[in-house]
Amino acid sequence: MGRLPRLFDRPLTLLTGRPLDGRHRTAYTPTRHLLNALASMTAGLAAGALALAAGGWWLLLVPAGWAMTLHSARNLRMMVYHQCAHLNMWGHKRHDVLLGRAIAALLMIQDFGRYSAEHVADHHALHHMTLRDPTVQAFLVSLGLRPGMSRRQMWRRMLGRTVSPLFHARFLTARIRSYFHAAAPAWRAGTLVALAAVAALATWLHLWLFVLVAWVVPMSVLYQVSNTFRLCVKHTFPAPDAPVRRGRDYFAGLTNAIFLGEAAPPPGLPAGHRLLAWARWWTRMLLVHFPARYLVLTGDTVVHDFHHRAPMSRDWANYLYAREDDHRLGHPGWPPYRHVWGLVAAIDLVFDSLRAADPAEYDPDRLAAVNHRELFSAFED
């Protein structure tokens, strides 16, 4: 892609997750990420409102509104809420906790206090990718995947879940339960009051269609589909013959970057072939890789490996360049970075690692003591 004009550098960096060089480093701040997410949500809801009010061809705006609302929600959850859990959003405990609790209430996800405790203790510790890790629990119970399954079987089961009404009903129910079960009494009461106020206004102003179409659809089914795909690329399972299950070499090997895109057509092609090659390239970049980046691998999830190496980095807001800088500096004290190109390839990598994993170690029967109704909240890790 380096052969493209320089004006494409910044858009391609944001799309692919891989900077061409460090000369156009971003200067994002945590607050800017938060405001961008809120602006996207506002635009998505506005597009939905306009489409429903105007009708006709304007209804084509509804999917665009869904996309913007979902993008906002996923950025709030996977980036802002996540950094709040590490008390690394603004580096101010009171402000980070307050924002985290507000996001949990808005998105109706696992209570912030419980999430932050589990995330740090079970996901960023020696229990990473063991049965104690919520990510592993979600694979074994919520998705029903097992070591030894073929890649095709895993794909079929995962895609089947994303179109299953029962799966989505259980997922949504578990999200609501995981929030209200653990939230502080004051936050539970405040959330119920807010929901009652929204319901009253929707009834009074005849806006229930808007609420259901513009908010409930992207925040339930679409959110959960995105979450499921994201789960399937987060971490690889350790090889059964890994000699030592600790240390930087081991933990770095469980996470890789996921870049999106593909090489631009080479120069020198005949005119007809060049036209077809560029048409194919633009089609795949816009209709395959862009949706994967915008709706699934949002925010800093493309370089989640950097977060596991530097979870308290104060440069997290400029995540793409922070990882690239560390890579170019030789990743001091850590093994080389790994990456894969494309969402499908990234899922295949994780599925292959689970297929080769130790079936005795990842035996779902060992999770019998866990309340399976709550395991859907593990998707929120």
Side-chain angles (χ1 to χ4, degrees), residues 178-199:
S178 67
Y179 174 76
F180 281 104
H181 177 72
W187 278 91
R188 286 202 300 266
T191 302
L192 289 173
V193 169
L195 291 173
V198 170

Side-chain angles (χ1 to χ4, degrees), residues 9-266:
D9 282 0
R10 180 63 61 81
L12 285 175
T13 293
L14 295 176
L15 170 59
T16 64
R18 184 73 185 268
L20 178 64
D21 54 46
R23 287 178 288 176
H24 296 282
R25 204 180 199 281
T26 56
Y28 285 111
T29 64
T31 301
R32 181 174 176 182
H33 281 300
L34 175 61
L35 293 178
N36 284 348
L38 295 177
S40 178
M41 183 170 289
T42 301
L45 294 174
L50 175 61
L52 293 173
W57 288 102
W58 288 99
L59 290 175
L60 295 175
L61 280 178
V62 169
W66 287 344
M68 288 185 283
T69 302
L70 177 60
H71 174 75
S72 166
R74 298 302 294 159
N75 269 340
L76 286 174
R77 166 58 192 87
M78 298 308 297
M79 186 163 55
V80 177
Y81 183 77
H82 181 208
Q83 291 296 330
C84 287
H86 286 276
L87 303 181
N88 197 40
M89 175 65 181
W90 291 301
H92 190 290
K93 181 177 180 179
R94 182 179 179 183
H95 296 164
D96 287 1
V97 170
L98 179 62
L99 178 59
R101 292 190 183 281
I103 292 174
L106 175 66
L107 304 183
M108 200 52 59
I109 55 179
Q110 186 179 19
D111 171 65
F112 177 77
R114 180 176 174 180
Y115 165 75
S116 58
E118 291 181 355
H119 181 72
V120 174
D122 294 331
H123 189 67
H124 277 273
L126 292 178
H127 301 301
H128 182 45
M129 294 307 289
T130 69
L131 290 181
R132 284 279 299 272
D133 191 332
T135 298
V136 173
Q137 296 173 10
F139 262 97
L140 298 181
V141 178
S142 301
L143 289 184
L145 304 182
R146 302 284 186 270
M149 279 185 170
S150 69
R151 183 190 291 178
R152 179 185 295 273
Q153 287 174 314
M154 293 187 196
W155 269 103
R156 185 182 298 118
R157 183 160 296 186
M158 183 270 286
L159 293 176
R161 292 290 197 270
T162 64
V163 297
S164 167
L166 179 60
F167 173 82
H168 286 290
R170 292 180 62 199
F171 196 164
L172 182 59
T173 300
R175 284 171 57 190
I176 296 171
R177 184 187 294 115
S178 67
Y179 174 76
F180 281 104
H181 177 72
W187 278 91
R188 286 202 300 266
T191 302
L192 289 173
V193 169
L195 291 173
V198 170
L201 284 173
T203 302
W204 181 31
L205 300 175
H206 305 287
L207 292 177
W208 272 112
L209 180 61
F210 165 73
V211 171
L212 294 174
V213 172
W215 181 255
V216 174
V217 170
M219 290 305 302
S220 57
V221 174
L222 300 182
Y223 180 94
Q224 292 164 186
V225 169
S226 173
N227 215 73
T228 301
F229 278 98
R230 167 58 187 149
L231 171 73
C232 292
V233 296
K234 284 183 65 177
H235 300 289
T236 53
F237 287 77
D241 57 352
V244 180
R245 297 291 184 95
R246 62 185 63 192
R248 290 183 172 183
D249 286 347
Y250 169 69
F251 287 110
L254 302 178
T255 316
N256 54 265
I258 305 164
F259 301 133
L260 297 165
E262 49 199 81

Side-chain angles (χ1 to χ4, degrees), residues 338-362:
R338 302 184 311 154
H339 65 266
V340 62
W341 283 88
L343 178 62
V344 172
I347 295 176
D348 285 343
L349 179 67
V350 174
F351 284 174
D352 288 346
S353 72
L354 177 57
R355 179 180 59 184
D358 185 352
E361 179 178 1
Y362 295 104

Side-chain angles (χ1 to χ4, degrees), residues 276-329:
L276 289 175
W278 278 104
R280 180 184 182 277
W281 186 84
W282 278 108
T283 299
R284 288 185 55 80
M285 292 293 286
L286 294 175
L287 300 183
V288 176
H289 299 299
F290 174 73
R293 177 73 167 111
Y294 191 73
L295 303 176
V296 178
L297 295 170
T298 57
D300 61 352
T301 56
V302 287
V303 290
H304 192 57
D305 55 349
F306 175 73
H307 169 72
H308 274 267
R309 294 176 184 230
M312 299 303 294
S313 171
R314 298 304 299 154
D315 197 25
W316 71 263
N318 298 293
Y319 45 86
L320 300 182
Y321 287 93
R323 181 197 186 273
E324 185 66 13
D325 289 347
D326 190 47
H327 168 66
R328 289 175 181 271
L329 289 172

